[in-house]
Amino acid sequence: MSRFAVTTPIYYVNDVPHLGNAYSTICADAMRRVHALIGDETFFLTGTDEHGLKIERQATEKGMSPQAFVDQASASFRAAWPKLLATPDHFVRTTDEAHKAFVKEIWKKIEANGDLYEGEYEDWYCVGCESFKTEKELEQPGNLCPLHKKPVERVKEKTYFFRLSKFEQRLLALYESRPDFIRPKERRNEVISFVKEGLRDLSVSRTSFKWGIPVPGNEGHVMYVWFDALTNYMSGLDAKGVLSTFWPKKDRDATVVHVVGKDILRFHAVYWPAFLFAAGYSEDELPTTVFAHGFLTVDGQKMGKSLRNAVDPLKLAEKFSPDVLRYQLLRSVSFGQDGDFDHAAMIERYNADLGKNLGNLLQRTLGLVKRLPGGKRPMYSDPTELETELVKDVETSLVAAKAAWKNMELNRAIELTWEASSRANQYVDRAAPWVLVKQPDTKRAETVLATLLEVLRLVAVAMWPVMPQRSDALLAQLGLPPVKPEIGKDHFSTTFSPLLGGSDLPEPTPLFPTYDKDQTKALLEELVPKPEAVAETKPAENKAAEAPKADGAPKADAAPKAEGAPITYDDFAKVDLRVGLVTACEKVPKKDKLLCLTIDLGEAAPRTIIAGLALTFTPEALVGKRVVVVANLAPRDFGKGLVSHGMVLATGPSEKLFLATAPDDVAPGSALK
Ligand code: MSP
């Protein structure tokens, strides 16, 4: 028996559980099930990442305290995973007192070892990634984060630095000596190149907001959210009292695998081991493997936020059953590569692999067993070459499937399992049991059907990690109890050993009824998000985006917007209206109507907004005013390096504008609801 712990990333609570993070969770759950099935002692850890600027801002926007906001959002993740048959042993929250205490201890250890020092930092920060970006990484125009396509912010503040640069050589030696520390190989190479380019010391505390774990001994600082978050992998095990048994150590038979998306590999493969080294852990006391899976698209489209929210994994699981969703995700995406989740392909694959291949094999077998005299479990005797050949093929496929599961080749493992089922279907065609059951002596028919029942049993067990409920249901149809993993016992059988005949079998019921053309069409209509439901920018928003054109202010005679279909509250809530304090303002050279405003929105750095206000206001008249700003408008490039990051609201003709303003006691950054 070995110990095997698997983790998912802890999810940011500013989003709902979506297909992307459902994928990380399902992969991790399947891996844990494989190890449980082979008799390992297992632990599955997941949770939520609840601190940081992104979360603090979202709570403020919703008019909630950060704690109330994260409590409610975290609960939706906790409730989601069991609905996908993913059953963690612990759900860690970074706001748990035990987690906070654990992180502080790690901080103190690193500080005592001299790897934290105070300084001042100035750089670009992406709140979406919760990470600093180098100038080189930004997309122009507009200084956009390459991942989130949103403008980064200029951050300048006092900070604690972590001596990441000190660990460069030690990290490279680690990757060299432990080729499996980062998987898959292509990703490992990327990380090695990144580290070889040189590591800069890392800013690991912030002073401009409060929602984080205070730095021990200097409470004006909160810890960098990734420092806090990565430590969950240890604090989560510690909370359950299993850190000292599951965390790797020399001569301890324990494996820890972090399943992460490729976007967050660097944090796990560079920062995390460096933090652990600095806290005094040795090469033997690191996670075993960081496995980076790829990114999913949906029906060929990139999963932006609105598409992500339109494809609800819980709705898919409800419609198709969690097993079928798990099967599709794990089987159709090559683990470690990018992949596509295609609704139509899911139904096609369901019909082919589950309905026609495995489902038919089961129905044919059980149907023929019922035609034997007495309809009891058939007896296996006197195998011919047909059986010997099939058994050899099935065993070979299943041995390979088991090895693939252990080696984290999830899609390959499933493919090999289904190969066994395909072989059995070919065997049915060759052995023709429908002829044999009609013969007076049914000995041969019994052998063929007993062979098939045994192959079905082996397949049912081998598919348990991906489809636990259907596996149980399939075993029940074979008159067998469900899979029940036991520590120290390998239940992942790959050896053909037919049961004794004579016992009763239950009435067969179809396990994977197929969808015909009309049903498929209806399902697709129901499930595939309509283009208007996923458009990143709605027509109404486009209009708004056009309002602050070079000629500036909104048109007084613009048609009233009340026409057409009313928008929902959710539509309205997408517009981020905030109060901004104008701290500086100047004319834009050669543009009569434009002013360039510097506006404080309560963010780490003020924003630049270009507005067509110059025919009504002098720059001085605006400084000190609290105006209403559309804060989440896509940046607009006015050329010559002038990029506007928002829009100021006003009414009236260009020469006689009235600004939407707020009283002096409203804090910059306050949301309008
Ligand atoms: N909070 C951090 C992780 C901290 S772990 C110490 C975080 N959270 S997240 O909620 O933004 O993302 C979690 C996971 O979802 C990541 O593994 C990410 O790769 C995955 N996915 C998000 N969108 C995805 C796809 N479109 N496809 C596949 N997975 C993707 O990052």
Side-chain angles (χ1 to χ4, degrees):
M1 181 270 293
S2 309
R3 292 200 176 90
F4 177 86
V6 61
T7 67
T8 72
I10 48 171
Y11 302 112
Y12 285 133
V13 287
N14 64 323
D15 212 337
V16 290
H18 56 74
L19 201 67
N21 41 46
Y23 180 63
S24 300
T25 308
I26 290 172
C27 291
D29 180 76
M31 282 159 74
R32 113 74 153 259
R33 283 179 187 272
V34 173
H35 283 269
L37 188 57
I38 62 178
D40 285 348
E41 191 179 345
T42 59
F43 200 91
F44 174 23
L45 182 67
T46 189
T48 41
D49 191 353
E50 305 181 11
H51 288 128
L53 188 54
K54 183 158 57 179
I55 311 288
E56 187 182 81
R57 277 189 189 160
Q58 185 135 359
T60 312
E61 279 159 21
K62 295 216 166 268
M64 295 170 86
S65 72
Q67 189 62 53
F69 173 70
V70 297
D71 283 349
Q72 154 229 291
S74 171
S76 76
F77 281 88
R78 192 193 288 263
W81 306 140
K83 294 184 186 148
L84 305 180
L85 310 179
T87 48
D89 295 296
H90 184 50
F91 187 96
V92 66
R93 297 183 56 186
T94 54
T95 50
D96 289 340
E97 288 309 321
H99 169 78
K100 292 194 251 180
F102 195 97
V103 179
K104 285 185 186 169
E105 284 312 306
I106 296 271
W107 180 282
K108 284 197 241 165
K109 280 188 197 164
I110 298 180
E111 193 170 32
N113 289 338
D115 289 327
L116 288 170
Y117 63 95
E118 284 183 81
E120 196 178 56
Y121 200 81
E122 180 168 3
D123 214 339
W124 299 106
Y125 193 78
C126 170
V127 182
C129 296
E130 292 285 13
S131 152
F132 285 102
K133 301 279 156 182
T134 60
E135 200 99 32
K136 219 168 64 186
E137 285 174 285
L138 303 181
E139 281 180 9
Q140 301 300 346
N143 287 341
L144 307 184
C145 162
L147 224 69
H148 290 88
K149 309 289 177 205
K150 289 205 175 134
V152 291
E153 296 173 13
R154 195 73 186 160
V155 170
K156 182 176 177 192
E157 58 186 322
K158 290 203 179 325
T159 190
Y160 279 88
F161 281 101
F162 170 69
R163 281 189 212 284
L164 183 61
S165 56
K166 172 177 156 183
F167 295 98
E168 206 173 290
Q169 291 312 315
R170 198 162 163 198
L171 286 168
L172 288 171
L174 166 74
Y175 307 145
E176 184 64 32
S177 64
R178 292 204 5 213
D180 277 348
F181 181 71
I182 303 168
R183 283 187 57 191
K185 214 162 82 211
E186 310 87 272
R187 301 266 166 248
R188 171 176 179 265
N189 295 341
E190 282 169 21
V191 173
I192 293 177
S193 312
F194 170 75
V195 175
K196 278 190 175 157
E197 273 180 32
L199 295 174
R200 292 191 299 170
D201 286 354
L202 187 69
S203 160
V204 285
S205 75
R206 302 289 304 269
T207 50
S208 56
F209 66 91
K210 293 258 158 304
W211 186 239
I213 303 181
V215 165
N218 195 349
E219 312 251 316
H221 289 248
V222 293
M223 291 180 202
Y224 176 41
V225 63
W226 274 98
F227 184 92
D228 160 359
L230 287 161
T231 311
N232 94 83
Y233 298 128
M234 281 190 140
S235 77
L237 294 179
D238 190 56
K240 286 291 182 184
V242 295
L243 182 62
S244 59
T245 45
F246 275 94
W247 198 258
K249 203 176 166 78
K250 199 169 167 49
D251 300 327
R252 181 181 292 157
D253 186 6
T255 299
V256 168
V257 175
H258 296 323
V259 173
V260 302
K262 66 176 183 182
D263 53 326
I264 55 173
L265 174 61
R266 191 179 294 177
F267 299 95
H268 287 80
V270 181
Y271 299 174
W272 180 222
F275 292 155
L276 289 170
F277 283 152
Y281 293 95
S282 72
E283 275 69 2
D284 295 322
E285 296 163 312
L286 302 179
T288 318
T289 296
V290 179
F291 197 109
H293 65 68
F295 253 51
L296 299 183
T297 48
V298 170
D299 298 329
Q301 271 180 280
K302 204 160 160 251
M303 255 202 273
K305 191 156 179 169
S306 30
L307 177 59
R308 253 191 351 221
N309 295 349
V311 184
D312 178 357
L314 301 182
K315 187 169 163 202
L316 284 169
E318 216 174 89
K319 205 74 216 166
F320 289 103
S321 83
D323 292 87
V324 173
L325 174 64
R326 289 167 66 105
Y327 181 83
Q328 177 65 10
L329 282 173
L330 297 187
R331 171 70 182 80
S332 70
V333 181
S334 177
F335 193 46
Q337 309 299 318
D338 290 342
D340 187 44
F341 179 85
D342 184 304
H343 287 84
M346 169 160 86
I347 303 179
E348 241 170 68
R349 192 185 281 287
Y350 170 89
N351 278 344
D353 294 5
L354 305 181
K356 299 214 171 79
N357 187 334
L358 183 59
N360 262 357
L361 179 67
L362 177 70
Q363 293 321 305
R364 289 212 270 183
T365 307
L366 292 181
L368 289 168
V369 169
K370 286 287 154 209
R371 286 169 60 188
L372 289 171
K376 306 249 183 213
R377 184 184 296 284
M379 182 64 96
Y380 182 82
S381 62
D382 304 327
T384 68
E385 217 173 89
L386 275 185
E387 282 75 46
T388 328
E389 204 181 297
L390 172 72
V391 168
K392 193 169 130 260
D393 286 346
V394 166
E395 287 186 346
T396 308
S397 295
L398 293 179
V399 167
K402 189 172 177 177
W405 274 123
K406 288 203 229 174
N407 195 30
M408 298 186 260
E409 300 166 73
L410 312 188
N411 56 303
R412 183 74 191 127
I414 300 171
E415 216 173 282
L416 286 160
T417 307
W418 257 258
E419 228 170 73
S421 173
S422 302
R423 292 263 184 249
N425 271 316
Q426 289 158 8
Y427 163 81
V428 178
D429 294 339
R430 290 166 73 191
W434 57 90
V435 178
L436 301 175
V437 287
K438 289 188 207 142
Q439 289 171 358
D441 181 357
T442 54
K443 205 167 148 224
R444 179 74 198 132
E446 289 208 38
T447 296
V448 172
L449 293 173
T451 304
L452 290 169
L453 287 177
E454 174 58 3
V455 174
L456 281 162
R457 181 187 74 84
L458 291 171
V459 169
V461 174
M463 77 187 212
W464 183 77
V466 54
M467 290 201 281
Q469 276 182 349
R470 297 294 168 111
S471 158
D472 290 353
L474 175 45
L475 288 168
Q477 298 251 325
L478 304 176
L480 299 169
V483 165
K484 224 172 164 207
E486 281 172 281
I487 296 174
K489 276 205 183 145
D490 185 351
H491 284 291
F492 196 139
S493 161
T494 53
T495 316
F496 182 85
S497 43
L499 302 173
L500 277 182
S503 54
D504 285 329
L505 281 171
E507 273 311 304
T509 48
L511 198 54
F512 299 107
T514 50
Y515 297 102
D516 66 22
K517 260 199 185 142
D518 291 341
Q519 288 167 321
T520 304
K521 194 163 162 254
L523 265 175
L524 289 176
E525 261 162 31
E526 187 185 341
L527 291 168
V528 175
K530 310 278 173 295
E532 70 270 22
V534 302
E536 290 292 331
T537 323
K538 297 213 165 172
E541 288 170 354
N542 278 335
K543 256 195 201 156
E546 276 165 19
K549 275 200 176 132
D551 71 352
K555 301 273 179 288
D557 55 354
K561 291 193 180 134
E563 284 173 7
I567 61 166
T568 63
Y569 177 77
D570 284 346
D571 289 331
F572 168 69
K574 282 186 191 153
V575 185
D576 185 8
L577 292 175
R578 286 201 254 155
V579 172
L581 173 66
V582 182
T583 56
C585 182
E586 57 190 47
K587 282 183 171 270
V588 176
K590 295 194 191 143
K591 298 276 180 201
D592 293 345
K593 297 179 184 173
L594 295 186
L595 292 178
C596 173
L597 300 105
T598 306
I599 298 188
D600 176 3
L601 279 176
E603 297 167 333
R607 294 198 191 192
T608 299
I609 295 182
I610 313 294
L613 303 172
L615 296 184
T616 303
F617 301 103
T618 60
E620 306 79 68
L622 293 177
V623 175
K625 279 208 182 323
R626 282 171 160 73
V627 293
V628 175
V629 170
V630 182
N632 59 343
L633 206 59
R636 190 183 171 88
D637 191 358
F638 285 79
K640 302 227 162 54
L642 272 186
V643 179
S644 183
H645 297 286
M647 181 171 108
V648 173
L649 295 188
T651 183
S654 300
E655 308 72 18
K656 203 169 183 326
L657 287 166
F658 295 95
L659 290 169
T661 55
D664 284 350
D665 46 354
V666 179
S670 302
L672 278 93
K673 305 174 272 209

